[in-house]
Amino acid sequence: MSKLVIVGTLAFDAIETPFGKTDKILGGAATFIGLSASQFDVDSAVVSIIGGDFPQEYLDLLSSKNINVSGVEIVKEGKTFFWSGKYHNDMNTRDTLVTELNTLADFNPVVPTNYRDAEVVMLGNLHPIVQSSVLNQMTTKPKLVILDTMNFWMDSALSDLHDVIKRIDVITINDEEARQLTGEYSLVVAARKINEMGPKYVVIKKGEHGALLFHNDNVFYAPALPLEEVFDPTGAGDTFAGGFAGYIAKTGDTSFENMKNAVIYGSTLASFCVEKFGTERMKTLTHDEVHKRLLQFKKLTQFDIKLT
């Protein structure tokens, strides 16, 4: 069984959308990535940091999904990272109300010894120096390194971000971030420029408009599944990344053709994430539900063109 290392936040979120609001609930990039990747029954480990206020039941939830939590540092006297946000009516834009780094401010990740030979490494959205430090700990070169980042690091740590981008195979960012990183409006040109920075594959997420996969001169587009209800977009991008990473770890195939499948699986899992607040939908998701939705995706995207 392939090993997957997931580096990112275990956190508390408080969310408000047009459909309701929550108190502090389970969140964090590593949480969503891990729950999504668990659909593929891979041997995964989360590397993160939490405070003494993080409930044991949340760690038990991850463990029950075959996610190793030995790489989670617990600072008993500290507090867990907290984020609060409010989504606008379009559900694509949001305002950050509160960000409390807490223990995350001093996070020095330590990859468990028995996972330093992992075939796939998923670097969640963290400071680029933290992401680089994880790669420095790997005893063998991973088959695939996937990185997620955001415009905040482009504003505050661009040089460090360029350094880590040189060392990865896949980058997943949204369309706005791709344009900021390259200064190009055309996503095709932007992807080519990012390709030249180091990554072999560039995944550009477009929210409810799907995702694009670029590799050299090859382009693949996967739509987002039209949904009747979208309650909370929080974690959808991380869920996409977890599905992508989990599928690659499961199959061990890093070809462009298989990356297409990984994008479809990532999009499928993200479509479940938005149906309830926080991680609620991902906690109970079954393989059968995923399979049925994959068939919906297939029906949505496959057709024969009659040429006249």
Side-chain angles (χ1 to χ4, degrees):
M1 184 185 292
S2 291
K3 293 179 184 175
L4 167 64
V5 168
I6 299 163
V7 187
T9 52
L10 298 179
F12 294 127
D13 289 341
I15 303 156
E16 183 175 350
T17 78
F19 303 102
K21 61 191 298 185
T22 71
D23 293 323
K24 281 188 177 181
I25 58 173
L26 174 62
T31 306
F32 286 103
I33 293 168
L35 290 175
S36 182
S38 72
Q39 287 293 322
F40 302 94
D41 301 319
V42 294
D43 182 8
S44 61
V46 165
V47 179
S48 191
I49 189 170
I50 55 176
D53 56 345
F54 196 79
Q56 181 63 40
E57 68 181 276
Y58 290 166
L59 292 175
D60 292 343
L61 167 68
L62 297 176
S63 297
S64 73
K65 302 288 186 181
N66 197 34
I67 302 167
N68 186 298
V69 294
S70 63
V72 178
E73 180 185 353
I74 303 173
V75 183
K76 290 210 184 301
E77 68 281 4
K79 287 187 173 182
T80 301
F81 175 72
F82 171 63
W83 176 84
S84 175
K86 180 178 181 180
Y87 287 87
H88 296 192
N89 285 336
D90 65 0
M91 299 289 273
N92 286 321
T93 52
R94 69 186 185 192
D95 298 322
T96 292
L97 305 177
V98 180
T99 301
E100 296 174 3
L101 291 178
N102 298 327
T103 53
L104 190 66
D106 301 311
F107 180 38
N108 291 306
V110 178
V111 180
T113 305
N114 55 328
Y115 284 90
R116 293 184 181 182
D117 60 349
E119 290 86 351
V120 180
V121 176
M122 177 69 228
L123 299 172
N125 177 25
L126 290 167
H127 196 293
I129 289 178
V130 173
Q131 294 174 322
S132 287
S133 76
V134 171
L135 298 182
N136 294 341
Q137 295 176 52
M138 305 306 291
T139 54
T140 56
K141 182 176 171 57
K143 197 168 187 178
L144 198 77
V145 178
I146 307 160
L147 176 141
D148 189 21
T149 191
M150 67 183 297
N151 46 18
F152 178 79
W153 305 120
M154 296 172 200
D155 293 333
S156 62
L158 185 59
S159 177
D160 295 324
L161 181 58
H162 277 296
D163 287 343
V164 72
I165 284 176
K166 292 174 187 173
R167 305 175 64 185
I168 64 166
D169 303 294
V170 183
I171 186 170
T172 67
I173 51 178
N174 66 32
D175 45 358
E176 177 191 347
E177 292 156 354
R179 289 177 172 126
Q180 180 175 340
L181 185 60
T182 60
E184 298 288 347
Y185 181 79
S186 163
L187 295 179
V188 175
V189 177
R192 187 183 306 129
K193 283 199 169 183
I194 296 170
N195 209 207
E196 291 166 358
M197 294 176 190
K200 301 182 191 74
Y201 299 95
V202 178
V203 178
I204 299 179
K205 299 170 290 185
K206 292 170 61 64
E208 63 179 326
H209 304 296
L212 290 157
L213 170 68
F214 296 89
H215 173 58
N216 296 331
D217 293 327
N218 300 307
V219 184
F220 174 70
Y221 170 70
L225 194 69
L227 299 171
E228 288 188 18
E229 295 179 319
V230 177
F231 272 90
D232 175 19
T234 309
D238 295 315
T239 302
F240 173 94
F244 185 97
Y247 180 80
I248 296 297
K250 176 77 170 179
T251 59
D253 181 354
T254 60
S255 67
F256 179 72
E257 288 304 309
N258 201 49
M259 292 280 174
K260 293 180 184 179
N261 291 323
V263 169
I264 293 294
Y265 270 91
S267 297
T268 299
L269 287 160
S271 75
F272 286 106
C273 177
V274 302
E275 290 181 339
K276 290 188 177 180
F277 281 106
T279 59
E280 283 305 306
R281 189 66 179 91
M282 302 307 294
K283 288 180 188 176
T284 59
L285 186 61
T286 66
H287 292 328
D288 283 347
E289 288 176 314
V290 175
H291 181 71
K292 285 177 183 176
R293 191 154 291 183
L294 279 167
L295 293 178
Q296 285 181 262
F297 249 103
K298 187 175 181 181
K299 191 175 179 181
L300 175 72
T301 57
Q302 291 195 353
F303 56 92
D304 292 322
I305 299 177
K306 291 184 180 179
L307 300 176
T308 57

